[in-house]
Amino acid sequence: MTTLFGWGPMFDCPSPSPFVMKSDIQLQMLGVDFDRAIADLEAVSKHKAPYVEDDGQIIQDSNFIRAHFEKKLGRSLNDGLTPREQALSWALERMAEGHLNAVMAGERWMNESNFRKGPASFFMGAPEPMRETVIRETLDTMRQTRWQSGIGRHSHDEQLQLAGFDLAAIAAQLGDRLFLLGDEPTVADASVSAVLISCATPYFDTPLVEMVHAHANLPGYIRRMRESYLPEGVWPELQMA
């Protein structure tokens, strides 16, 4: 029995986490039969999702989830790709997850109005007398982490400019293809589409939405990936409090 732990629809996205969407897509690409369940971050050592329970074994982090099942099944999501395509796929993943995702997260967490209508709901389980303290401490930690990583040292306009570079690169790679490497989705599509979905949700007030739609080929690409891999009604309902 295999269970993917994460979260389902929220913020007009199939999941509030692009990494949960990524693992969901990659498990389907690998042909794994799995269930979905709401994550309990206190139950796992890394305190983040996604994670998978596979025959009693806990595997944490989307990259290690993929590696676990590739080893178990004896096949890879790189199968059929040339070494050059494999390198390009990994570079696209790392750009989307490590760079564009950082800007997207800042739009949700570092913007007060976006935070209050979105990520603040994650703290509803905290006792009300200490909820604001927990929120403040979490945001302070995030600001420090973003400063140390470098992204937080840039102005808001500069962060968006960097995101624009990423979006232009993705759009250029996609071109007139249906997917990033051709007419069929491949491994990089899981990561890149998940981050694009997160950037393009109209739920939040952010220039990223218009920046995504400024590239004529990206909205259709997002729609194709959602229709192929991220249907509604497959996740249990999340109880916020």
Side-chain angles (χ1 to χ4, degrees), residues 43-85:
V44 289
S45 60
K46 295 183 180 179
H47 305 294
K48 67 175 187 174
Y51 59 92
V52 160
E53 182 174 4
D54 183 46
D55 292 332
Q57 181 181 358
I58 298 294
I59 305 96
Q60 302 178 66
D61 187 272
S62 60
N63 292 311
F64 297 122
I65 291 170
R66 170 190 168 186
H68 167 82
F69 284 102
E70 287 180 330
K71 181 178 181 180
K72 178 179 180 178
L73 298 172
R75 59 179 180 272
S76 170
L77 291 178
N78 281 329
D79 291 346
L81 301 181
T82 67
R84 188 182 184 91
E85 288 173 330

Side-chain angles (χ1 to χ4, degrees), residues 2-230:
T2 301
T3 303
L4 171 67
F5 289 86
W7 307 278
M10 193 182 300
F11 311 150
D12 292 337
C13 292
S15 172
S17 166
F19 300 99
V20 170
M21 286 187 273
K22 168 192 172 182
S23 282
D24 198 327
I25 294 170
Q26 289 188 342
L27 288 174
Q28 293 177 63
M29 286 179 167
L30 284 165
V32 176
D33 184 16
F34 66 99
D35 296 321
R36 299 170 180 86
I38 301 301
D40 177 4
L41 301 188
E42 295 304 312
V44 289
S45 60
K46 295 183 180 179
H47 305 294
K48 67 175 187 174
Y51 59 92
V52 160
E53 182 174 4
D54 183 46
D55 292 332
Q57 181 181 358
I58 298 294
I59 305 96
Q60 302 178 66
D61 187 272
S62 60
N63 292 311
F64 297 122
I65 291 170
R66 170 190 168 186
H68 167 82
F69 284 102
E70 287 180 330
K71 181 178 181 180
K72 178 179 180 178
L73 298 172
R75 59 179 180 272
S76 170
L77 291 178
N78 281 329
D79 291 346
L81 301 181
T82 67
R84 188 182 184 91
E85 288 173 330
Q86 293 177 32
L88 175 59
S89 293
W90 186 246
L92 287 166
E93 286 189 41
R94 301 278 56 78
M95 178 183 68
E97 294 180 11
H99 197 250
L100 182 56
N101 181 71
V103 179
M104 181 278 294
E107 294 295 283
R108 293 185 181 186
W109 288 79
M110 300 292 103
N111 177 294
E112 176 68 17
S113 61
N114 282 341
F115 174 78
R116 289 298 169 182
K117 71 181 293 189
S121 61
F122 300 148
F123 299 86
M124 293 303 294
E128 187 173 356
M130 61 183 299
R131 188 177 301 152
E132 286 302 317
T133 299
V134 173
I135 288 174
R136 185 175 65 253
E137 291 176 350
T138 301
L139 291 177
D140 287 345
T141 299
M142 289 190 68
R143 288 190 187 94
Q144 182 179 11
T145 300
R146 290 173 64 82
W147 179 268
Q148 292 172 342
S149 70
I151 192 69
R153 298 171 189 248
H154 303 309
S155 70
H156 183 238
D157 286 345
E158 288 172 334
Q159 292 181 39
L160 291 173
Q161 184 177 3
L162 293 173
F165 297 155
D166 295 336
L167 291 170
I170 293 168
Q173 172 59 35
L174 181 62
D176 59 1
R177 303 176 184 87
L178 293 178
F179 301 97
L180 289 171
L181 296 183
D183 291 337
E184 298 295 331
T186 56
V187 58
D189 291 297
S191 298
V192 173
S193 67
V195 176
L196 288 179
I197 289 168
S198 301
C199 289
T201 174
Y203 186 87
F204 295 106
D205 182 14
T206 166
L208 286 177
V209 179
E210 292 186 3
M211 291 170 65
V212 171
H213 283 267
H215 297 280
N217 57 351
L218 294 185
Y221 170 66
I222 290 172
R223 183 183 66 254
R224 287 189 291 276
M225 288 299 295
R226 289 188 68 149
E227 291 175 349
S228 297
Y229 293 103
L230 300 168

